Amino acid sequence: MKKEINPFDYAGDILKALPKGILLTSEAEDCVNAMTIGWGTLGIEWGVPIFAAYVRTSRFTYELMERTGEFTICVPYGEKFSKEVTKAVGICGSRSGRDVDKLAKAGVHLVESEIVRPPAIKELPLTLECRVVFSQLQPIKDISYRFGKFYPEVGEHSAPHVAYYGEILKSYIIEE
């Protein structure tokens, strides 16, 4: 069962969970992938509710999102990070969907979305279903700011990000 919500009534919960890691799911050609994200924005652009997510062009998630232009944002809600959520966030933030089915390895349960193709995740029940309305390649910088310090961009971390602005089409909490 899904309880429909206004995402802005839960903005504090979403933004509080974000630095700990939430999941962005994508899907194309029946391949479902999830990626841990630790930064993004929630707001109103062009008069519509938007979640903006940033994905490196080197990521498998980027390939899937470019094919469908859809994603879901899945946020822990109602309890502190459980072991299952911590495990899922860890796996989805440290492995590539090109090499492993991260969601199966994490042992999470997928829930069919209402409007978009990518599914929701039962264990991270606060869900935003999004369709990309605008995307923009972010310029590459020689250095990045991480964890309060400047670091040179090297290897996989030198790929630029794409900012995806997703219109929030539906938002809900998955209830047992």
Side-chain angles (χ1 to χ4, degrees):
M1 176 174 245
K2 298 173 186 169
K3 178 179 93 171
E4 193 163 347
I5 61 168
N6 177 333
F8 298 107
D9 291 343
Y10 294 83
D13 298 295
I14 295 167
L15 297 176
K16 186 177 179 184
L18 196 55
K20 296 175 188 174
I22 64 176
L23 297 181
L24 179 152
T25 63
S26 54
E27 178 181 3
E29 292 86 41
D30 296 323
C31 177
V32 178
N33 189 54
M35 178 179 101
T36 299
I37 61 173
W39 44 290
T41 48
L42 177 68
I44 297 173
E45 298 278 341
W46 313 288
V48 297
I50 295 286
F51 188 91
Y54 305 88
V55 179
R56 285 194 189 273
T57 57
S58 60
R59 304 288 189 228
F60 185 53
T61 296
Y62 166 78
E63 294 175 26
L64 299 180
M65 287 180 62
E66 285 294 304
R67 290 183 206 158
T68 66
E70 297 178 339
F71 62 95
T72 58
I73 297 297
C74 304
V75 181
Y77 180 76
E79 61 182 57
K80 294 184 179 181
F81 269 56
S82 66
K83 286 185 208 177
E84 294 83 13
V85 170
T86 301
K87 177 182 175 183
V89 168
I91 288 170
C92 293
S94 63
R95 307 232 167 52
S96 173
R98 287 185 193 96
D99 306 324
V100 65
D101 182 343
K102 296 187 281 187
L103 295 167
K105 189 167 183 70
V108 296
H109 300 89
L110 303 180
V111 176
E112 190 173 333
S113 291
E114 301 285 320
I115 298 173
V116 299
R117 286 181 60 158
I121 299 174
K122 181 181 174 185
E123 290 77 8
L124 291 92
L126 198 161
T127 304
L128 309 177
E129 295 188 19
C130 302
R131 181 165 297 131
V132 176
V133 292
F134 179 76
S135 65
Q136 183 173 8
L137 185 67
Q138 302 297 294
I140 298 174
K141 304 260 183 187
D142 291 334
I143 55 175
S144 69
Y145 189 74
R146 290 191 290 259
F147 310 113
K149 298 180 181 177
F150 286 102
Y151 292 93
E153 293 283 8
V154 294
E156 175 180 300
H157 297 291
S158 64
H161 285 90
V162 171
Y164 290 102
Y165 291 78
E167 177 180 359
I168 302 169
L169 303 172
K170 189 96 171 168
S171 53
Y172 48 86
I173 296 174
I174 300 166
E175 298 179 324
E176 302 270 339

